[in-house]
């Protein structure tokens, strides 16, 4: 089957799952956390004082933007953050009421909620099961106490394990997050992390190397020598262990950081990688319609004040053809779908195809990418370097 183009009439194409790609996604950013993880640079607040107001404004933004992507139905709804599992039943219902009142929703949309293990009591899981949520993404990060303390996670190792054991009683579609490359994490402990996840029967794993972002607590602690620096070679070794173990467990490595059993790939994330449109609702949330990117202000108070005045706190950027080509290369090389040479010519033109082929030659010689049926894929040798490989194929003006 020909993979759908990112930018050319995707609504009439088939997604890799076989589902028709009509519609768009809605992302809801819930900017609240119990405490700050040392590595996190996402927008959030540990103060819940404005939570009621902010939920009201999320619903108002949903109403104000209902005609932004007209005549398309919602296929995915994703609650990210922050910590969306801090939402009450009433708050979730309030947001769902705003979505279903203002948008056409598909018959069986994928509706994901990110959750922290310490929030997932049996009572909470029963509430979520009774709501419209049908997929959980649980931020485990590690099953070991020393890792969780280093990252300043709000949960402990016991809660990490028990939250998944409980969640599987109520949900079939569960993803967990794991972090590798943590200072002092041995290869053996990383393998144990993966084995625990497999023994629990989760059908989807998202896994990321620990990265040191500027102005985070982790960055400051490393600078002061309180935490050892992150070692890229250790992270690479952990990545290779993960690829091998999950492949042997019949997981598909369908995107650089994502592994799923058949039927459990994230529809939300797959839609992003294939260039589908989405609305980002909430402070710091991003939106995309194929030609423009938009992003909301990353400040809860300013977000609330703007919407109280019926103003959208949004900045907009129009994407050039080169922007779209570069993004296509970046996202596709990270996935199992690859960069289709004929598709590049059809969507972006001969100039971009020729540039792609010329710059690909060196990477092919180094066996960092391969050409399979005129589709470029990253090889096993190049997989951990996929972002750098993509940049070598970018068109620079």
């Amino acid at each position: 089957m020909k993979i759908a183009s990112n930018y050319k009439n995707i609504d009439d194409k088939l997604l890799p799952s076989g589902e028709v790609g009509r519609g768009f996604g809605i992302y809801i950013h819930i900017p609240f956390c119990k405490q700050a993880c040392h590595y996190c640079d996402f927008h959030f607040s540990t103060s819940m004082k404005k939570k009621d107001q902010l939920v009201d404004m999320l619903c108002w933004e949903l109403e104000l933007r209902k005609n932004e992507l007209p005549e398309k139905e919602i296929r995915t709804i994703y609650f990210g953050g922050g910590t969306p599992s801090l939402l009450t039943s009433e708050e979730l219902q309030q947001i769902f009421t705003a979505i279903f009142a203002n948008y056409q929703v598909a018959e069986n949309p994928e509706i994901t909620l990110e959750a922290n293990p310490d929030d997932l009591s049996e009572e909470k899981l029963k509430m979520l099961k009774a709501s419209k949520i049908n997929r959980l993404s649980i931020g485990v990060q590690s099953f070991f106490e020393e890792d969780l303390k280093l990252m300043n996670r709000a949960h402990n190792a016991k809660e990490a394990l028990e939250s998944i054991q409980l969640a599987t009683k109520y949900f079939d579609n569960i993803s967990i997050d794991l972090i590798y490359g943590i200072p002092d994490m041995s290869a053996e402990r990383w393998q144990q992390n993966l084995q625990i996840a497999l023994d629990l029967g989760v059908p989807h794993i998202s896994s990321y190397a620990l990265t040191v972002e500027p102005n985070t607590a982790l960055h400051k602690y490393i600078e002061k020598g309180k935490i050892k620096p992150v070692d890229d070679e250790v992270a690479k070794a952990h990545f290779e262990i993960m690829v091998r173990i999950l492949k042997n467990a019949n997981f598909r490595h369908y995107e650089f950081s994502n592994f799923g059993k058949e039927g459990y790939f994230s529809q939300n994330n797959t839609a992003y990688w294939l260039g589908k449109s989405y609305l980002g609702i909430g402070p710091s949330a991003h939106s995309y319609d194929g030609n423009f990117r938009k992003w909301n202000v990353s400040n809860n108070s300013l977000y609330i004040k703007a919407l109280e005045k019926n103003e959208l706190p949004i900045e907009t950027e129009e994407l050039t053809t080169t922007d779209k080509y570069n993004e296509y290369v970046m996202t596709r090389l990270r996935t199992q779908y690859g960069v289709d040479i004929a598709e590049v010519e059809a969507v972006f033109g001969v100039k971009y195809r020729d540039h792609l082929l010329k710059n690909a030659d060196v990477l092919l010689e180094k066996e960092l990418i391969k050409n399979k049926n005129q589709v470029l894929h990253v090889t096993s040798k190049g997989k951990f370097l996929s972002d750098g490989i993509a940049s070598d194929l970018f068109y620079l003006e």
Side-chain angles (χ1 to χ4, degrees):
M1 181 191 301
K2 187 80 165 178
I3 298 297
S5 159
N6 265 31
Y7 300 100
K8 188 177 182 182
N9 205 24
I10 190 170
D11 285 349
D12 297 328
K13 302 293 185 180
L14 292 177
L15 295 180
S17 64
E19 295 183 2
V20 175
R22 295 186 177 88
F24 65 99
I26 289 182
Y27 171 83
I28 310 283
H29 189 76
I30 307 299
F32 299 104
C33 290
K34 291 178 183 175
Q35 65 186 50
C37 299
H38 287 337
Y39 57 87
C40 183
D41 70 340
F42 292 156
H43 170 65
F44 68 93
S45 170
T46 54
S47 170
M48 306 291 167
K49 289 180 180 178
K50 297 181 184 294
K51 186 159 165 267
D52 289 349
Q53 279 180 285
L54 196 129
V55 170
D56 288 343
M57 293 304 104
L58 291 176
C59 296
W60 184 226
E61 185 186 0
L62 280 163
E63 184 168 347
L64 289 176
R65 299 180 69 185
K66 63 184 178 182
N67 296 319
E68 199 162 309
L69 296 171
E71 299 179 6
K72 292 184 178 182
E73 65 178 5
I74 298 171
R75 302 285 295 178
T76 64
I77 301 169
Y78 193 100
F79 290 85
T83 311
S85 50
L86 291 174
L87 292 173
T88 65
S89 174
E90 293 75 20
E91 288 164 343
L92 264 178
Q93 185 55 50
Q94 183 182 349
I95 295 169
F96 279 128
T97 297
I99 292 173
F100 280 77
N102 291 290
Y103 298 85
Q104 180 186 349
V105 182
E107 187 174 346
N108 294 302
E110 177 191 84
I111 305 179
T112 303
L113 180 123
E114 291 182 353
N116 277 357
D118 47 302
D119 293 327
L120 293 180
S121 64
E122 188 142 19
E123 181 182 2
K124 185 76 170 189
L125 284 160
K126 286 179 179 178
M127 180 275 282
L128 293 173
K129 180 64 176 177
S131 75
K132 296 182 185 298
I133 303 296
N134 54 32
R135 183 175 183 269
L136 290 182
S137 177
I138 304 175
V140 172
Q141 314 311 355
S142 176
F143 291 101
F144 291 88
E145 203 68 46
E146 50 266 56
D147 300 330
L148 297 172
K149 286 181 178 177
L150 182 146
M151 294 184 285
N152 199 41
R153 294 292 294 169
H155 66 279
N156 58 40
K158 183 172 180 284
E159 289 169 324
L161 187 65
E162 291 180 350
S163 68
I164 300 173
Q165 292 170 332
L166 271 176
T168 54
K169 291 171 56 178
Y170 298 95
F171 289 87
D172 170 61
N173 198 350
I174 296 173
S175 176
I176 67 168
D177 288 350
L178 293 174
I179 292 179
Y180 57 91
I182 298 170
D184 290 325
M185 175 187 272
S186 65
E188 181 183 9
R189 191 156 88 225
W190 176 235
Q191 289 180 63
Q192 289 176 320
N193 258 317
L194 294 167
Q195 191 57 54
I196 292 169
L198 294 177
D199 290 344
L200 289 166
V202 295
H204 190 280
I205 295 173
S206 295
S207 191
Y208 309 91
L210 182 66
T211 55
V212 184
E213 302 293 346
N215 302 317
T216 59
L218 179 62
H219 182 256
K220 293 172 185 174
Y221 289 143
I222 289 175
E223 279 191 330
K224 293 178 180 178
K226 293 183 178 181
I227 294 176
K228 291 181 181 178
V230 171
D231 188 327
D232 289 342
E233 287 303 311
V234 170
K236 184 175 183 290
H238 287 180
F239 177 80
E240 290 169 351
I241 289 168
M242 174 173 61
V243 170
R244 173 175 51 80
I245 288 176
L246 295 183
K247 180 180 180 181
N248 290 338
N250 296 317
F251 278 72
R252 287 276 295 278
H253 190 189
Y254 70 105
E255 192 270 343
F256 179 82
S257 301
N258 287 271
F259 302 77
K261 292 286 185 75
E262 289 291 347
Y264 290 95
F265 297 178
S266 168
Q267 293 178 35
N268 176 79
N269 293 349
T270 299
Y272 288 173
W273 300 322
L274 292 178
K276 287 183 68 179
S277 301
Y278 55 89
L279 280 181
I281 303 296
S284 81
H286 283 60
S287 304
Y288 171 73
D289 67 2
N291 294 306
F292 292 89
R293 286 212 177 279
K294 300 179 181 180
W295 56 94
N296 284 341
V297 63
S298 297
N299 181 293
N300 290 358
S301 295
L302 294 178
Y303 173 82
I304 290 169
K305 287 177 181 177
L307 283 158
E308 285 178 336
K309 294 186 290 185
N310 296 331
E311 297 173 358
L312 292 172
I314 292 176
E315 291 188 55
T316 301
E317 173 192 15
E318 184 172 6
L319 300 177
T320 65
T321 301
T322 295
D323 291 333
K324 295 175 186 179
Y325 162 81
N326 289 343
E327 184 166 309
Y328 172 92
V329 170
M330 172 66 80
T331 55
R332 287 301 185 88
L333 274 184
R334 289 179 61 93
T335 70
Q336 64 179 347
Y337 314 123
V339 175
D340 187 321
I341 295 168
E343 186 172 74
V344 168
E345 180 179 350
V347 177
F348 305 108
V350 173
K351 178 176 74 171
Y352 292 92
R353 181 209 63 190
D354 290 347
H355 171 84
L356 173 69
L357 293 174
K358 179 182 177 182
N359 286 37
D361 282 344
V362 174
L363 299 170
L364 288 164
E365 288 177 11
K366 292 181 179 179
E367 297 183 341
L368 296 175
I369 62 173
K370 60 185 176 183
N371 186 338
K372 183 179 180 181
N373 299 322
Q374 297 301 297
V375 179
L376 301 178
H377 298 270
V378 176
T379 62
S380 297
K381 180 181 176 182
K383 191 153 281 187
F384 193 71
L385 307 170
S386 59
D387 286 352
I389 291 169
S391 68
D392 289 340
L393 300 175
F394 285 173
Y395 193 96
L396 303 177
E397 292 181 308

